[in-house]
Amino acid sequence: FETATGTKMFVRQGTQQTPTEAGAILLRQAERLEVEAIRLASLSAQQEPVLSARVRLTTTPIIAQAIIAPALPALYASAPHIRMQLTCTNQNLSFARWETDLAVRMSRPTDGSLYVRKLADLPSAVYERAGPMTADVRWLALPAVYRDLPPAKYVYDQLNNEQPYFECDDANILRQAAAAGLGRAVLGCYDADHDKSLKRVTDTIYTREAWLLIHPDMRDMPVIRATSDWLIETFAALGDAPKPS
């Protein structure tokens, strides 16, 4: 390419290639072309018979486990030809790079280019094992690096600068540890209320908003509409679920 254009694109520095100013401009253009190629491929893949295409959904592991997975049979019953790819991660996959079609996230989106809809307010409370517990209150928490997040902040406020009895960055592990009798943890009521090995020991201490995000170019596709309608119904049903006595 350098020979054809007569323009130097890269400078070798040891074993590495560093782009020149012209090379950097070319790389930016190539990245735009790559994004557009991915967009066209994704749109093309969706132009199949109604409700027969693949749909990619991303959300957090705990939401996937507690809310999404149990509701999947209802989606497949209404649209049996859908093929879902569910990515469970706490990272925000990129809509701009077409890494996902829909997302359920636990904070209000700031990207104005996406279609967004609030799904639900999800409450959390403190839980411990349903059976006998020790007199000492032992706290299970997210690591201190997450102490600005609501579940961690509540626990660290209770500890008065002491260390938690157990720390883990996985909410599902904290739930299992609490159910095993290790101590108390702040857990999502949508998950912990249905675990008979746990009991709630406080009222709701905070709520987090669940938001649906959809790539604007795909919002009107039948497979996306079917999936988004199912998500809306699934989260709406959480408010109708009977509370444990």
Side-chain angles (χ1 to χ4, degrees), residues 54-109:
R54 184 184 70 157
V55 60
R56 299 170 301 165
L57 171 65
T58 178
T59 190
T60 63
I62 191 65
I63 293 295
Q65 172 200 297
I67 300 176
I68 301 298
L72 282 172
L75 172 64
Y76 279 80
S78 64
H81 299 295
I82 276 183
R83 295 297 177 263
M84 176 178 285
Q85 175 184 306
L86 177 61
T87 301
C88 306
T89 176
N90 290 312
Q91 304 299 315
N92 290 337
L93 298 188
S94 172
F95 281 88
R97 295 189 62 83
W98 290 81
E99 293 175 344
T100 190
D101 304 321
L102 306 95
V104 175
R105 294 181 181 165
M106 299 302 292
S107 59
R108 188 184 183 106

Side-chain angles (χ1 to χ4, degrees), residues 2 7-27:
E2 288 181 338
T7 303
K8 195 167 186 63
M9 298 295 174
F10 293 91
V11 176
R12 181 179 295 278
Q13 295 179 334
T15 59
Q16 295 183 337
Q17 296 273 9
T18 302
T20 63
E21 182 177 353
I25 293 173
L26 181 67
L27 284 174

Side-chain angles (χ1 to χ4, degrees), residues 79-187:
H81 299 295
I82 276 183
R83 295 297 177 263
M84 176 178 285
Q85 175 184 306
L86 177 61
T87 301
C88 306
T89 176
N90 290 312
Q91 304 299 315
N92 290 337
L93 298 188
S94 172
F95 281 88
R97 295 189 62 83
W98 290 81
E99 293 175 344
T100 190
D101 304 321
L102 306 95
V104 175
R105 294 181 181 165
M106 299 302 292
S107 59
R108 188 184 183 106
T110 57
D111 186 345
S113 68
L114 301 173
Y115 170 79
V116 300
R117 172 171 176 154
K118 184 178 176 180
L119 291 171
D121 289 313
L122 300 179
S124 292
V126 176
Y127 293 81
E128 66 182 20
R129 186 176 63 182
M133 292 290 294
T134 63
D136 295 334
V137 175
R138 300 176 302 197
W139 285 100
L140 321 178
L142 294 169
V145 67
Y146 300 108
R147 68 184 306 153
D148 289 337
L149 296 179
K153 184 178 186 305
Y154 179 88
V155 172
Y156 283 95
D157 285 348
Q158 308 305 308
L159 287 170
N160 294 321
N161 296 320
E162 294 184 8
Q163 293 297 310
Y165 192 68
F166 172 73
E167 299 175 45
C168 182
D169 63 356
D170 187 312
N172 186 46
I173 299 298
L174 291 175
R175 180 179 63 81
Q176 293 184 44
L182 188 63
R184 291 182 172 182
V186 176
L187 304 170

